[in-house]
Every structure is written in structure tokens, then in C-alpha cells.
Amino acid sequence: MSDTHRLENKLGFDRVRQMISDRCSTDYAASRVESEEFSTDPDDIRERLVLVDEMRLVLMFEDGFPTNGYIDCIPFLVPIEKGGNIDRLSLGKLKTMLDTVRKVTGFFHGIKDSVYPHLNRMASGILTFPEVQRRIDAILDRYGDIKDTASDELYRIRKELHDKEGNVSKRIAAILRKAQQDGIVDAGASVSVRDGKMLIPVNSASKRRLPGYVYDESATGKTTFIQPAEIVELENEISELHFAETREISRILCEFSDFLRSYVPDLLDAATYIGETDFIMAKANVALDFIAGMPVISEDGELSLRKARHPLLERTLRKEGKSIVPISATLTPSKHILLISGPNAGGKSVCLKTVGLLQYMFQWGMLIPTSETSELPVFDRIMVSIGDDQSIDNDLSTYSSFLTDMKGMLSEADSKTLVLIDEFGSGTEPAAGGAIAEAILASLDARGTYGVITTHYTNLKLYASGAETGVINGAMLFDARNIAPLFQLEIGLPGNSFAFELARKMGLPEAIVKDAESRAGEEFVGIERNLRKIVRNRRALDEKLQKIRNTDKTLDNLTGRYQKELEDIQKMRKGILDDARREAEDIIKGANRQVENTIRTIKEAQAEKEATRDARKELQMFIGALGQKKEADARDRSDYIEKKLRMLEERKEREMSRKARRADPATREEMSRAEQEERQMAAFRSAPLKVGEKVRIKDGGMVGEVSKISTKAVTVIVGNITTKLPLDRVERVTSNEYKAALKEVAKPPVQRFDTSISERKLNFSPEIDVRGQRVNEAIENVMRYIDDALMLDVDTVRILHGKGTGALREEIQRYIKTVRGVESVSDEDIRFGGSGITVVKFR
């Protein structure tokens, strides 16, 4: 295994590479995934990342971008450039590719350069070949067949062929009627078709009365199937026309190849562009699966990961219904090595591998699952010591393997190197191992090497605590109360192993644990106790700070709410005063009118007591009505305010309910990610098929290439077989799915044993008798019999078919010779039946 493959395997990048390869539609893109290498050029990395990021945005927001029809045409374009000719299937593939090139380049040309500048620049120099497309459209129809009008000669041949085939049908119907009138053929008989030939079933006694070729005979020998001589002549003419059609199609394709040859260099550029676009799109699709973004390339040597997630672990946890705990870590030129300590199974190795994998993905040109405010520098190399590489062949123990890794690191590590060391110094006697590890750490520190290192050694934690070193401690937090890891990284504190606590939790006798603590020494126990105390104090401080932040946030919210309520009350007060002022004016105007009317009434009545009393009574009633109106208005305003308050409360409850449903971010991310994956895969599977694309037959799982397409059916080439299927029986597959299916088919059959096989073998007869059966019936029974014989691993079988005309024997032996696993097919010895019995021997 090469160093690069070993590094990718240790970090898990080989699985990421495979995921990207699986999303490729073309072999070119899949090969690009395999050949793409870790880059140390910042400009190259930036270009790779920007292309993928722009494509990610295109896939997210642009429905008009074509995501299907990516066909690899390079394998047949190169031979054409050297003088070869194109075939019909390759012509269909070229048509699909040119259509995709036209759509992709048209999409980017129709969008402003500033939206997707790098992808636009990539598409700017690609030609669309309208003349080539016009010539192809003149040759191929929309189903991928050669048009009748591709040439005048082909039109003539096919027209004549159509007429001849029509004549065959008419002529054999006339011959059948004449034979029935002559009594040669039964009145109820009809034309029989065998192996594509039209035959007339004649009574064997009258077969010489119908001129023609005897093609077959029934099992009983009573009926003979004859192809009339006149039809034979017509069939010969039709065969000659088919040969002429094939020659003319070859001439047309040869002529087109000569025309195409001058375009091949530019076509190869277009085919390469389609492959590159497919490659970038595969990376973007995986980035969408990871919910990845583009980090910033650090200019000052700072490595800052914010809310970073290990993509492979996250996928695994998602399947189990769990969420990952993101990590944040920062390395600078002054503090360039992170020393992580903590309990076993607490997440130390995950943190180390997360940093390593994301850094490798970044320099390979892949977006990473972290905040887009993260910054990553460019390293010249990444070196790892993860896992156990012990080997009996190389006489390497666990610690020898570790020292070999350290030797390699110390020979190359510098300030442009990232080292990742898991379980630093373990595998040998602790005192010596710790001392060697500290010496190596000091050397890496002095060189300015960047690194993430996990350890349990206390002397290394103490080294990292020094203010003058370039090493900083990191602790994996642990819930001491519940004795459970929290999988959270805390920078600046050394971690505690919690070995004694874990021992108690696992049920080790208390006396043993106490004895172990005393043997460890008061100094060690005191350090562990102080570490726990620091962690507890730090957690208590963090909780208080969080409470203060929450209180400040609550106060800000209350202040804002009270301020808004005050503004609303002031507006309401102003509105009430304005209403009251207008109402008072109306009242005064009404009262003045009423007083004037009363005075006028009194004057007109010349101050009669009765009239005066009535006027006063009417004035009192008016004043009472005014009072009732005021009370009613007050009640209306009160009801309005109460109604508003109830509406506000209901709105608040609905908002709280909505927040509760969206409270779990992991669930929300998982749902949106799953929906996004389902939408992407559904779109990929359901998009209209095109010639040259790879498909899977849903029923049997076999894969092939699309040769022709019609509105209701699709023609698929599976190996050497061409089959026509309804559109709903096939589905599009990626290039890797196609390859995997072919490999699966190529695998040797795996032998499996059924509990009933022994019983079936005991009941299996070494002979089968098909005498008296029709050919089709006999062949079907022999097929089942041979299959059973192969499954039961029988050496030899005998098939009794009789001699007769020899037609049944010939058909049976012809079929058996096509069966895999058959060693020989021969007639029985003359003494035991001769040609009336076929003997089959299996390998």
C-alpha cells in the first residue's frame, strides 16, 4: 500500500472518494475522482473549491440546469480521429452529448458573468457544433434509428423492402387458401411462424403436393410445416434487400465519419468539458449530502475549525437516529499543537480524525462540513500515526510500528507539516514511553510543526501547560456524575482519564480500586483530583456565564416588549383623547341645539308651567342619553382592548408551539437532508432517458446501455443481447452502479445448499422421456430437466426422444450445446438405442 493510500485509508478519505465516484455519470468523471490528488498550491485549491461551491449553488437554486445526459464520448472519438468509423449507437451517444453541451453552455451564457464566474469562464471556450447536430438529425430520428431519408438509396431500399414484406404476407395467405381449397391443408389451419419464417401446416400424406421446403414436422409426424417455394424466393429477395440496407447504412456512417473527422479535436474538448462538469457536479452533490461549505484559505497560518463535523460519523449516527456533537478548535503559529486528553471512548480519536479528514478534503478540493467562517492553511504534507500497523512479515510490534512512524515524521516534519498522532507513546513501559513521547513532542514543537495528538500521559499534559511552549491542552469533557462522556472538546484544559471512576462503574471491587489509588501515589491522585476540580469550576463558571447571557437576553427581550407596549399605550391614549375631544365637541354642539330648542319652546308657550315642565323633562332625558352613550363607548373600548389581548396571547401560543416543533436542530437537519437526498435521487431516476445512458432493468437487476427510445418503450443492450422494454421497467443508474452490477454478474456462481437438495437428488431420474411430444413442449421439459441436473450436480443424463425424422433430436442437441456446464452431447451407443437417445455429460 502506497503512503497516499495508507494516509487516505487512515483518515477515511478513501470512503469519501468512493462516495464521489458513485455520483459520477461518466467513466471520465469517475477516473478523474481516482486520479485527483492532494494539492499544495493555494491558487489551485481555491479554484477547485470555488468551482464546487458554485456548482453547489447551481444545484440548489437553478432548476434550468441540466443534470442528466452526461455521456462519455471520448472512447469512440479518439479512434475516429485515427481513421475509424462511427457506429449507430455511438452516433446516438454523440447526439445526446452535443445536446447536453448546448444546454449547459447555453445555461451559463444566459446568466450574468458575476453570478457563477468560474463556471462561466470554464464554459466560455466550448463550441456547440450546430452543423454536426444538423447532420446527425438528418441521419437519426428521435428514437435513435437511422431515418429512411438518410439517403436516396436507403429510402429506395426500405420502400422496396416494405413492399416485398407486404407481398409475402399477401402471397402466403393466397397459397394457404388455395391449399385449403385443394384439400391439402385443413380448413381451420392457419399460417405458422417458426424462427421468423412463415410456414403452411400440411398433412404429411399430402406434403409432396405443395412445392416448397420442408422446415419442420410435428412430434406425431402427422403434420409437416412447409415454406412454399414462391415464398422462399421472396424471402431470398428480402434477405438481399436487408444486406443492401446494411451496406448503405455503413456507407452513410462512413461518409459521416469522414465529415466528422475534422471536428474531432474540438469535440474532444467538448467531451472533456462534459466529463469535468460531471466530476464537479458529483463533488457538489456529495457536498450537499454533507451540508458542507467553503472555508477561508488562511493567509497567516491559523487553522480555525468552527462547528466541524466528521461527515462519515455523522452519516452513521443519522442512520441510528442520533446527532453528532460538532467540535471547534484553533491552532496558531504560537500554539500550533493541540494535545487532547480524556477518558477512553470519549471522542479523542474522532476529534483528531475530524481535523485530519477535513484538512485533506480541503486540499483535495472538496467542500467541508463546517462553518464557512472556518479558516484552514495549506500544508505541504499530512503525516499520521493512527491505529496499529504491526506486521509479522516485517517483524513489527505495536510500539515498533509507532517508532517507525515517528522516525518518518522527524525526518520530514517542519512548519508546513500537519501531524496526527493517536495514543501518543502507548505500547511500551509507561515511564520510558512517556519520556520518549515528550522528547518527540518537544522536537516537533521546536520545528513549528502543526499537529493534533491524543494521549493519557500526565508528563505530556504538564509540558503543554507551560506558557513558553507551542503546545496547548485540550480536554474531552466527561459527566462525572453519570460516568458518561459528553464528546465535547474544551480547549485550554488537560483531560482526566477517570480511570478509577470507570473502574467503579464497571463493578470492580472497591477494595481493588482503593488499593490502586494508593499504589498510584498521592501525587498522581492529587493531580487527577485537581484536574476534576478545575473542570468542575470551569463548568460552573460556564453555567453562570450562560445564565448571565440568558438573563441579559431575557432583559433585552422584556425591555423591548415593555417599550413596544408603552408605545402602543401612548398611541391608544392619544387615540382615546382625540376621540373624547371629538365626542365632547359633538356633545356640546348637540347640547347647545337642545338648550336653544328648549328656550324657544318656553318662549313660544309664553312660559306656561306645563310646557316648561315638558321642556325641562326632555332636556333631562337628553342628558341621561348622553351618559348612557359614554358608558357604552367605554365598554366598547374595554371590549376592544380585551379582544386584542386575547389575540396576542393566542398568537404567542401558536409561536411557542411552532418553536417547539422546530426545537431539535439535529432532527430538522436530518429531515431536510433526507428530503434533499430523496429529491435528488428521485430527479435523477425519473428524468427522461437518453441514448447512451446506463440503466437497470427493475425486474432482474441486469444493467445495460440505452440504444433506442420511443414514447412508450426503450431498447437496451445487455451484454450481447438487445431487448425492448416498457419505460417503467427500467431506471437510470450511475457509472459506478453500472460497473458494480457488471462485476456482480461476472462473479463465479456461489454454491448454496438447500435442505431439500438431498431429497431431490434421491428422487431425480437419470433419464427423461419426451417421445410423442411437440418440439416446443419437449424443449421446455428438457430445459427444466437439464437445470435440475446442473443444480443437483449430476454427472450424466439420458434423453429419450426417438428417431423419427431426427428433427426433435436435432433441436434438443442444439439447445443443450448452448448450456453452460455441459461437457459433451452425443448419441447413445448403437447397442443401447443409438440416435434415438441423447447422452449428456456435465463438467
Side-chain angles (χ1 to χ4, degrees):
M1 183 184 293
S2 68
D3 290 342
T4 301
H5 288 163
R6 174 180 176 272
L7 174 62
E8 292 187 2
N9 179 263
K10 294 288 186 181
L11 295 177
F13 183 76
D14 55 339
R15 294 169 59 190
V16 176
R17 192 190 287 268
Q18 185 61 44
M19 290 169 67
I20 298 171
S21 182
D22 289 342
R23 302 301 289 267
C24 296
S25 297
T26 63
D27 292 338
Y28 175 91
S31 66
R32 282 282 287 111
V33 175
E34 294 303 315
S35 61
E36 190 81 338
E37 295 180 349
F38 177 87
S39 176
T40 58
D41 181 358
D43 294 333
D44 181 35
I45 294 170
R46 184 178 288 105
E47 180 69 17
R48 294 183 189 183
L49 292 174
V50 169
L51 286 171
V52 179
D53 193 48
E54 288 183 1
M55 183 61 75
R56 177 179 68 95
L57 297 176
V58 168
L59 295 177
M60 288 175 67
F61 302 116
E62 304 290 352
D63 294 334
F65 182 78
T67 55
N68 296 308
Y70 291 81
I71 303 295
D72 195 355
C73 294
I74 295 176
F76 64 79
L77 285 175
V78 172
I80 291 174
E81 188 177 27
K82 297 177 180 178
N85 292 325
I86 197 168
D87 57 30
R88 184 191 61 77
L89 179 60
S90 297
L91 187 61
K93 290 182 177 181
L94 182 61
K95 180 181 180 181
T96 301
M97 188 204 78
L98 291 178
D99 187 50
T100 305
V101 169
R102 179 179 57 80
K103 290 178 180 177
V104 174
T105 55
F107 170 83
F108 287 116
H109 293 161
I111 290 180
K112 292 182 180 179
D113 294 349
S114 59
V115 181
Y116 307 114
H118 292 76
L119 288 175
N120 207 315
R121 193 183 314 121
M122 185 176 162
S124 60
I126 303 302
L127 304 178
T128 54
F129 311 98
E131 181 59 23
V132 175
Q133 284 189 292
R134 188 190 67 78
R135 291 287 293 266
I136 293 175
D137 290 338
I139 297 173
L140 288 183
D141 61 18
R142 60 195 179 108
Y143 304 125
D145 285 322
I146 304 292
K147 287 181 176 179
D148 294 349
T149 57
S151 74
D152 294 339
E153 179 64 14
L154 183 62
Y155 180 81
R156 184 195 66 77
I157 291 170
R158 286 187 173 174
K159 185 176 183 303
E160 188 175 349
L161 190 60
H162 179 74
D163 295 340
K164 293 284 185 185
E165 289 173 344
N167 288 339
V168 168
S169 299
K170 293 176 184 178
R171 192 65 201 129
I172 199 163
I175 293 171
L176 177 64
R177 286 195 301 272
K178 180 70 169 56
Q180 288 172 333
Q181 292 170 1
D182 295 342
I184 301 173
V185 179
D186 294 339
S190 61
V191 174
S192 177
V193 179
R194 296 196 177 188
D195 297 333
K197 298 184 182 298
M198 293 185 176
L199 309 174
I200 294 178
V202 181
N203 294 328
S204 294
S206 305
K207 64 184 179 182
R208 299 189 183 280
R209 295 175 60 188
L210 182 66
Y213 170 70
V214 176
Y215 191 81
D216 199 359
E217 189 177 51
S218 67
T220 60
K222 293 181 179 180
T223 303
T224 301
F225 297 93
I226 296 177
Q227 186 178 26
E230 188 176 345
I231 301 301
V232 171
E233 288 300 322
L234 286 173
E235 289 284 356
N236 290 339
E237 292 176 10
I238 289 172
S239 295
E240 289 176 2
L241 287 172
H242 278 303
F243 294 144
E245 179 189 27
T246 301
R247 287 194 299 273
E248 179 60 17
I249 290 174
S250 296
R251 188 197 68 77
I252 292 169
L253 293 176
C254 182
E255 182 181 310
F256 177 79
S257 299
D258 293 338
F259 156 77
L260 191 68
R261 201 160 282 118
S262 61
Y263 289 93
V264 168
D266 292 330
L267 286 169
L268 285 171
D269 290 341
T272 302
Y273 170 73
I274 284 296
E276 285 292 330
T277 304
D278 184 31
F279 169 57
I280 295 169
M281 191 162 58
K283 292 166 71 175
N285 274 315
V286 174
L288 287 172
D289 293 344
F290 289 165
I291 312 183
M294 178 178 168
V296 178
I297 298 180
S298 176
E299 302 291 344
D300 57 3
E302 179 175 322
L303 187 156
S304 178
L305 286 174
R306 298 180 179 91
K307 297 182 180 180
R309 310 181 314 276
H310 193 292
L312 303 178
L313 176 61
E314 187 174 25
R315 287 171 66 89
T316 302
L317 292 174
R318 197 187 311 151
K319 291 176 183 177
E320 299 174 0
K322 302 175 182 177
S323 59
I324 196 168
V325 179
I327 66 166
S328 296
T330 300
L331 297 178
T332 64
S334 59
K335 290 291 183 181
H336 47 87
I337 297 179
L338 174 61
L339 186 74
I340 305 176
S341 52
N344 288 318
K348 298 190 300 297
S349 298
V350 171
C351 288
L352 177 144
K353 290 183 178 180
T354 299
V355 174
L357 177 58
L358 298 194
Q359 182 69 40
Y360 196 96
M361 289 172 62
F362 162 73
Q363 292 194 229
W364 189 80
M366 185 65 188
L367 305 184
I368 59 175
T370 180
S371 168
E372 292 190 352
T373 59
S374 297
E375 293 186 44
L376 293 176
V378 176
F379 293 108
D380 289 342
R381 65 192 66 83
I382 298 176
M383 308 183 76
V384 301
S385 178
I386 301 173
D388 189 357
D389 284 336
Q390 62 175 313
S391 169
I392 295 176
D393 296 334
N394 297 328
D395 194 24
L396 283 177
S397 65
T398 300
Y399 194 65
S400 299
S401 172
F402 164 75
L403 292 177
T404 301
D405 291 339
M406 293 304 102
K407 178 183 175 183
M409 288 184 184
L410 293 172
S411 65
E412 296 187 46
D414 56 20
S415 61
K416 299 290 287 181
T417 303
L418 174 66
V419 298
L420 306 167
I421 307 174
D422 196 23
E423 299 294 344
F424 195 26
S426 63
T428 189
E429 194 273 323
I436 292 174
E438 186 173 348
I440 294 172
L441 180 60
S443 177
L444 294 174
D445 181 15
R447 301 175 188 210
T449 302
Y450 284 70
V452 180
I453 300 173
T454 68
T455 188
H456 287 289
Y457 286 149
T458 302
N459 63 313
L460 300 183
K461 302 176 194 177
L462 295 174
Y463 178 90
S465 300
E468 70 283 354
T469 70
V471 185
I472 186 171
N473 273 305
M476 297 309 299
L477 299 185
F478 193 82
D479 186 351
R481 181 178 302 171
N482 298 314
I483 315 298
L486 298 175
F487 304 109
Q488 296 174 3
L489 175 63
E490 185 76 24
I491 303 294
L493 290 176
N496 192 326
S497 66
F498 290 92
F500 300 126
E501 288 78 0
L502 286 170
R504 288 189 175 92
K505 181 183 179 182
M506 298 304 295
L508 212 62
E510 182 62 25
I512 298 293
V513 177
K514 288 286 187 184
D515 186 33
E517 288 178 335
S518 64
R519 290 175 183 273
E522 185 60 34
E523 181 181 358
F524 176 82
V525 175
I527 292 173
E528 293 286 302
R529 188 181 298 116
N530 288 333
L531 286 176
R532 287 198 296 274
K533 186 176 179 181
I534 291 170
V535 171
R536 281 197 303 271
N537 292 341
R538 180 66 176 269
R539 189 175 297 122
L541 180 61
D542 288 342
E543 289 175 357
K544 288 181 180 179
L545 287 173
Q546 187 61 42
K547 285 180 181 178
I548 292 171
R549 292 193 192 100
N550 292 338
T551 303
D552 288 344
K553 187 176 180 181
T554 303
L555 287 173
D556 290 341
N557 292 337
L558 286 173
T559 302
R561 190 176 69 186
Y562 290 152
Q563 183 66 32
K564 187 176 183 306
E565 288 180 358
L566 179 60
E567 292 174 359
D568 292 342
I569 290 170
Q570 288 174 344
K571 289 179 182 178
M572 186 179 291
R573 178 176 177 274
K574 185 177 181 297
I576 291 171
L577 289 174
D578 291 342
D579 292 343
R581 191 176 295 109
R582 285 193 296 271
E583 188 179 333
E585 290 174 358
D586 293 340
I587 290 170
I588 291 169
K589 289 177 182 178
N592 287 336
R593 285 195 298 271
Q594 186 65 32
V595 169
E596 288 172 1
N597 290 336
T598 303
I599 292 171
R600 188 167 53 252
T601 301
I602 292 172
K603 285 180 178 180
E604 290 174 356
Q606 296 180 355
E608 292 181 3
K609 291 183 179 180
E610 189 65 31
T612 303
R613 191 182 305 113
D614 292 340
R616 285 177 178 171
K617 184 178 181 182
E618 186 176 346
L619 184 60
Q620 291 295 331
M621 288 175 63
F622 176 73
I623 294 170
L626 286 177
Q628 291 176 3
K629 185 175 183 302
K630 287 182 180 179
E631 291 178 3
D633 290 344
R635 283 197 303 272
D636 289 343
R637 282 193 293 272
S638 178
D639 292 343
Y640 172 78
I641 294 172
E642 288 293 331
K643 184 179 178 182
K644 278 290 183 185
L645 287 173
R646 284 198 301 271
M647 289 174 64
L648 288 171
E649 288 294 331
E650 290 173 2
R651 189 181 302 166
K652 183 178 179 182
E653 290 177 3
R654 286 198 300 273
E655 188 65 27
M656 292 289 286
S657 176
R658 192 179 299 113
K659 287 181 179 178
R661 288 196 301 271
R662 298 182 303 181
D664 186 0
T667 303
R668 186 172 66 253
E669 282 185 11
E670 181 181 344
M671 291 174 62
S672 63
R673 201 174 306 162
E675 289 171 359
Q676 187 177 27
E677 289 180 5
E678 288 177 7
R679 284 197 301 270
Q680 288 176 353
M681 190 53 67
F684 176 75
R685 301 289 190 204
S686 62
L689 291 171
K690 297 182 180 179
V691 174
E693 289 191 316
K694 297 171 177 61
V695 294
R696 178 191 295 116
I697 300 173
K698 293 179 182 178
D699 296 342
M702 292 185 293
V703 294
E705 283 191 356
V706 175
S707 171
K708 300 178 186 177
I709 304 171
S710 65
T711 53
K712 295 182 179 179
V714 58
T715 302
V716 181
I717 300 175
V718 182
N720 296 324
I721 300 172
T722 301
T723 180
K724 192 172 184 180
L725 298 165
L727 286 169
D728 59 356
R729 286 189 57 195
V730 300
E731 62 180 358
R732 179 185 285 103
V733 295
T734 64
S735 177
N736 272 27
E737 288 175 322
Y738 177 77
K739 290 179 184 176
L742 289 181
K743 289 179 182 177
E744 194 65 30
V745 171
K747 286 182 180 177
V750 180
Q751 189 173 9
R752 294 183 175 87
F753 294 94
D754 195 298
T755 55
S756 62
I757 284 182
S758 299
E759 182 181 348
R760 292 176 65 183
K761 196 166 185 177
L762 289 173
N763 297 328
F764 181 79
S765 172
E767 291 183 352
I768 183 174
D769 190 348
V770 295
R771 288 176 294 183
Q773 298 179 7
R774 290 182 177 274
V775 174
N776 291 341
E777 181 185 1
I779 290 293
E780 189 172 342
N781 290 332
V782 168
M783 287 171 62
R784 292 198 189 97
Y785 181 70
I786 294 297
D787 288 344
D788 286 346
L790 286 168
M791 186 179 68
L792 298 174
D793 200 22
V794 176
D795 294 331
T796 306
V797 296
R798 300 169 80 242
I799 302 173
L800 283 67
H801 43 67
K803 295 181 180 179
T805 62
L808 183 58
R809 164 186 168 277
E810 184 179 349
E811 288 296 326
I812 289 175
Q813 291 193 359
R814 185 185 303 164
Y815 160 70
I816 295 174
K817 288 176 182 176
T818 66
V819 177
R820 279 187 175 184
V822 173
E823 185 176 289
S824 65
V825 182
S826 61
D827 293 336
E828 180 60 279
D829 189 283
I830 191 68
R831 294 171 297 174
F832 305 113
S835 60
I837 300 173
T838 293
V839 178
V840 184
K841 293 184 179 179
F842 301 99
R843 295 192 184 95

